[in-house]
Amino acid sequence: MDTIIILGAGQFGQACAGLINTAHTKLAAFGDNNPSLRGSRIAGVPVMSVEDAVLLQPDCAFIAVTDAARTAQLKSQAEAAGFKGEFLLLDRLYRRFDIRSATLLRMARRITQTGVPGHIAELGVYRGDLAWQLNALFPHRPLHLFDTFEGFDPRDIREETKRECSRAQEGDFSDTSISCVRSRLPYPERALFHKGYFPESAAGLEACRYALVSLDADLYAPILAGLEYFYPRLHEGGMILLHDYSSRRFRGAAQAVDDYEKIHGSLPLVPLCDLHGTAVILRI
């Protein structure tokens, strides 16, 4: 059995650990430059310095960061510590393989094949990385895009801070605009932009029903509001693609799901093993 170390014990490193084929590969350790993590264990796997991880003489070192500069730094650090095995670089794989997008494609095919009616929507659009895919997959359906298009709202940040869900700050994700997103859409004439604070921005759409919704608002309050608003309005067989459900950076997503379920009962939810902790929620 081959052995592997993961360099980078953050969210991406832990997500990558969940993708390892344990029938053929053993994860020996995480190597990380954060002193506060050393001596801890993640899912039973020890976290140590990069140099100590290399001393385990693994067959492979998986550098689990997506920043090119950090990737190069960790690779040089491992080589300086004497590592001569195989490197796997997440920053290269990340550009070529995407579990969330691949899942979205299959969700869209299922919705189309089974004839689920309804509009398409996204709450938390940012710069349109997923919006353009939704637009391309459903060129004949209205696409509702909900966002402040100015970054996190201060009201949601205050709730986030109170609940200790993340370190969200004003200005995060503010480098966007409606024109920026519209320019990326293959069928912009099908898009309806709803700028403002959600769910106030959905005023007048109460009767609208949906087939597929991307819920990517990051923070507790808008995610809970999104579940409260969209899930009852999904047609049978419709789906929600929920971002950050298993995220270490934005823990409010999972808390919002928990609080929704305390009131409304369990959701048919399937977690994915992608880098951002996405989950799929089905309307049955």
Side-chain angles (χ1 to χ4, degrees):
M1 178 178 287
D2 290 342
T3 57
I4 189 171
I5 58 173
I6 294 180
L7 303 185
Q11 176 179 323
F12 287 177
Q14 293 183 40
C16 291
L19 293 169
I20 290 175
N21 184 348
T22 56
H24 300 283
T25 304
K26 178 182 178 181
L27 176 57
F30 290 95
D32 200 282
N33 287 320
N34 184 348
S36 67
L37 293 177
R38 294 174 194 168
S40 64
R41 302 181 78 87
I42 298 174
V45 179
V47 182
M48 55 188 68
S49 69
V50 172
E51 289 75 14
D52 286 345
V54 167
L55 288 177
L56 297 176
Q57 298 183 331
D59 300 294
C60 178
F62 192 163
I63 300 181
V65 297
T66 56
D67 177 83
R70 290 184 62 205
T71 296
Q73 184 269 320
L74 285 168
K75 186 172 184 291
S76 296
Q77 189 177 353
E79 289 172 335
F83 181 71
K84 300 185 184 302
E86 176 189 6
F87 280 105
L88 286 177
L89 307 180
L90 180 61
D91 73 322
R92 294 182 182 176
L93 294 172
Y94 188 63
R95 295 188 187 99
R96 293 168 174 82
F97 301 97
D98 183 0
I99 292 173
R100 183 171 66 153
S101 293
T103 301
L104 177 63
L105 174 61
R106 285 156 180 79
M107 292 168 67
R109 286 175 177 169
R110 175 66 179 174
I111 286 169
T112 300
Q113 289 169 356
T114 56
V116 178
H119 294 193
I120 312 300
E122 181 169 44
L123 172 59
V125 179
Y126 187 38
R127 297 178 63 86
D129 289 347
L130 201 72
W132 76 261
Q133 297 179 59
L134 292 168
N135 192 220
L137 289 168
F138 296 96
H140 303 297
R141 301 200 194 199
L143 171 63
H144 297 271
L145 299 174
F146 299 89
D147 203 299
T148 66
F149 296 99
E150 296 177 354
F152 293 147
D153 188 278
R155 289 167 285 186
D156 294 337
I157 293 175
R158 286 194 293 271
E159 186 69 18
E160 198 79 358
T161 302
K162 182 178 73 174
R163 293 177 176 274
E164 299 182 341
C165 291
S166 73
R167 297 178 180 177
Q169 298 180 357
E170 289 191 45
D172 288 350
F173 300 100
S174 61
D175 55 332
T176 185
S177 66
I178 290 177
S179 60
C180 166
V181 176
R182 192 190 302 276
S183 69
R184 300 187 65 185
L185 302 179
Y187 305 100
E189 69 280 1
R190 303 302 292 164
L192 298 97
F193 290 84
H194 306 283
K195 179 181 170 69
Y197 187 70
F198 190 87
E200 297 167 9
S201 58
L205 299 173
E206 290 79 8
C208 191
R209 301 287 300 279
Y210 300 91
L212 178 62
V213 176
S214 167
L215 191 47
D216 191 5
D218 297 333
L219 308 186
Y220 169 86
I223 290 174
L224 181 57
L227 290 171
E228 294 277 6
Y229 182 84
F230 286 113
Y231 191 71
R233 291 176 171 84
L234 282 179
H235 280 285
E236 183 177 339
M239 306 178 201
I240 292 176
L241 188 68
L242 173 62
H243 201 42
D244 292 317
Y245 176 68
S246 303
S247 171
R248 293 178 67 251
R249 180 183 179 189
F250 294 113
R251 298 183 299 278
Q255 189 170 336
V257 170
D258 290 345
D259 287 351
Y260 181 91
E261 291 182 320
K262 287 175 184 176
I263 300 171
H264 302 285
S266 296
L267 289 166
L269 182 150
V270 179
L272 304 182
C273 199
D274 70 331
L275 296 182
H276 298 281
T278 303
V280 174
I281 302 173
L282 179 65
R283 180 68 172 175
I284 56 177

